Amino acid sequence: MPCSFVFQRELLCYLFVTFQARQINNECCEFLPWLQQKAGTEVSSVLSVGNSAFGRSLYASTAIHAGDCMLKVPYSVHLTSDKFPLEISPFIDYGVGSVSCVAVVLMAEQKLGMESRWAAYITSLPQMDEMHNTFYITLQIFWSEDDLQMISQSPVYKETIEHKANIEKALECFPQIFGDIRLENFMHACALVSSRAWKTSKGVSLIPFADFLNHDGTSDSLLLSDDYKEISEVLADRDYDVGEPVMIRYGKFSNATLLLDFGFTVPNNIYDQVQLWMDVPSHDPLYAAKIELLNKHRFPRGTKSDGFNDARGPFIIKEVKSAEGKGKGIPQALRAFARVLSATSVKDLEEMALEAAENDGRLARRPLKNREREVHAHRTLLFRVERMVRDHDAAIKVLQSSVVSVDDTTLFVRRGMARDLLNGELHVLRSAHTWLANYCAALC
């Protein structure tokens, strides 16, 4: 079967599954009245809860006009880390991340079962098997090592491994709370929080009802928090007909963030970006001097495999929209790092330090006076980007050439996510490659 036909067939199946008709059940109908009773005020008179291929979703129950307030959720019914049970409180100062803290609150309420004051909310959240089989398949929790190999060329792969390690470490901080619990259950709770919570003045917050809203990167509707009124609210960015799904924009998130934190991707994401890691080679004769200079000017710090701190990336590259422009999308800090790497003498480094001191204090933000070194610095970036382009392109071709049974829904969906991620990063990398190649050619 030709690869092009396989891809077209899978794309059609992907779209068909994505836009399945919603099904409203009794549990969904009972949720909003429960929340409004708990809040002591009306949360929404224009939205209803239903099920869709995306999981729980919100739909217009009456006609909605642009500018209308669609929902208001009081802070009193936000589930936050400051609602820790007394037996958990002693552990919250042990460096546990905010997502893990809220996950522990969630697990404490789950342990209470129907006696929990949040039982109606807890039971509305996706169960373990649902998160395995729906679109909200959180990357760092449920993808197997074989699945992750599909995105091994993306920096997201490394982030995923680190996230898993952090979750395991966080669980060790709560050894006495729940007794003998499975790591998978804690990971499930972390996935629920990372894929649904918002950052508010109260920290990471689960906001019932509002977290049923799904993401549309083109929407202008956002979740807004009013600390004076102590409410979170959403205003309609357009008109909605009765029965139409209502969506908001979670943020200007790349597919890397959407996949890692929320468990889904969107094709042709205009907010896609790529992490580029740079470091000073340990065999560089000026290694110590360059590290000292970079650290002095607060360049990113990381930890090498030997445990020692080092000055290094990551740097975030966004799409460079004009090959003839000023390179917006390629961060100035990245170009400065490359200029420092190009130095061949202590004198070169001293001149850059002096220039920074005489201007705005930022290191190597202006083109080097030595044109040859300026070209060399940018060619270093060009070769690094070129290698990433080749690796991404090869990985995408492997995805396109492999055949997956349409009956294997989970793998089918995950492969689509991997393709969205790699295609988006490849688009950004190619735009950066074009700009860097033109910049070097203009100086030669």
Side-chain angles (χ1 to χ4, degrees), residues 129 149 160-161 178 228 307 383 400 402:
D129 57 345
Q149 285 301 315
T160 303
I161 303 302
F178 304 105
Y228 178 74
F383 294 150
Q400 292 176 336
S402 60

Side-chain angles (χ1 to χ4, degrees), residues 24-293:
I24 299 177
N25 55 32
N26 291 333
E27 174 191 302
C28 294
C29 294
E30 294 171 357
F31 179 81
L32 184 55
W34 166 83
L35 181 63
Q36 293 183 148
Q37 182 179 18
K38 185 176 182 64
T41 186
E42 183 177 77
V43 171
S44 178
S45 61
V46 298
L47 297 176
S48 60
V49 187
N51 285 337
S52 74
F54 301 106
R56 298 291 188 271
S57 302
L58 294 185
Y59 296 85
S61 55
T62 64
I64 300 173
H65 302 288
D68 288 352
C69 181
M70 297 187 290
L71 63 84
K72 291 182 180 180
V73 184
Y75 284 4
S76 61
V77 291
H78 290 193
L79 196 60
T80 55
S81 58
D82 62 358
K83 294 182 172 62
F84 267 91
L86 292 178
E87 67 269 23
I88 297 178
S89 300
F91 294 91
I92 65 176
D93 295 324
Y94 281 79
V96 179
S98 53
V99 168
S100 295
C101 285
V102 178
V104 171
V105 174
L106 193 60
M107 292 190 73
E109 296 297 334
Q110 288 174 328
K111 185 180 179 183
L112 294 174
M114 296 310 296
E115 294 182 6
S116 168
R117 296 173 300 131
W118 298 88
Y121 176 59
I122 302 299
T123 56
S124 75
L125 298 174
Q127 301 303 305
M128 187 89 70
D129 57 345
E130 291 181 282
M131 295 195 77
H132 272 292
N133 296 310
T134 66
F135 282 85
Y136 292 90
I137 310 170
T138 310
L139 181 64
Q140 71 268 27
I141 308 300
F142 298 121
W143 284 41
S144 68
E145 182 58 36
D146 288 341
D147 294 333
L148 289 174
Q149 285 301 315
M150 294 188 293
I151 60 166
S152 60
Q153 301 304 328
S154 169
V156 174
Y157 176 82
K158 179 180 179 182
E159 286 191 77
T160 303
I161 303 302
E162 292 175 349
H163 272 244
K164 284 186 175 181
N166 290 337
I167 290 173
E168 293 177 5
K169 183 178 179 181
L171 181 58
E172 295 175 0
C173 294
F174 306 101
Q176 307 168 22
I177 305 303
F178 304 105
D180 185 19
I181 64 170
R182 297 170 57 191
L183 174 62
E184 188 178 30
N185 291 333
F186 182 58
M187 295 174 79
H188 173 232
C190 289
L192 288 171
V193 176
S194 67
S195 64
R196 309 179 78 83
W198 276 272
K199 290 183 179 179
T200 69
S201 60
K202 298 289 187 179
V204 172
S205 305
L206 284 171
I207 307 178
F209 194 71
D211 62 8
F212 293 148
L213 287 162
N214 290 308
H215 172 75
D216 177 2
T218 64
S219 174
D220 288 327
S221 286
L222 305 169
L223 182 76
L224 306 172
S225 292
D226 188 326
D227 289 339
Y228 178 74
K229 296 180 180 179
E230 294 194 331
I231 60 169
S232 293
E233 61 183 353
V234 176
L235 305 181
D237 66 328
R238 63 178 181 84
D239 294 344
Y240 287 93
D241 293 329
V242 176
E244 193 174 355
V246 175
M247 307 176 83
I248 66 171
R249 188 178 73 231
Y250 293 171
K252 296 181 179 181
F253 295 140
S254 66
N255 272 333
T257 297
L258 292 177
L259 183 53
L260 188 62
D261 293 343
F262 300 97
F264 67 92
T265 57
V266 295
N268 305 314
N269 189 338
I270 61 175
Y271 302 115
D272 266 329
Q273 58 188 32
V274 182
Q275 281 190 1
L276 179 64
W277 283 83
M278 298 286 290
D279 54 19
V280 181
S282 58
H283 57 75
D284 190 322
L286 298 174
Y287 176 83
K290 290 179 180 179
I291 292 295
E292 181 181 1
L293 183 62

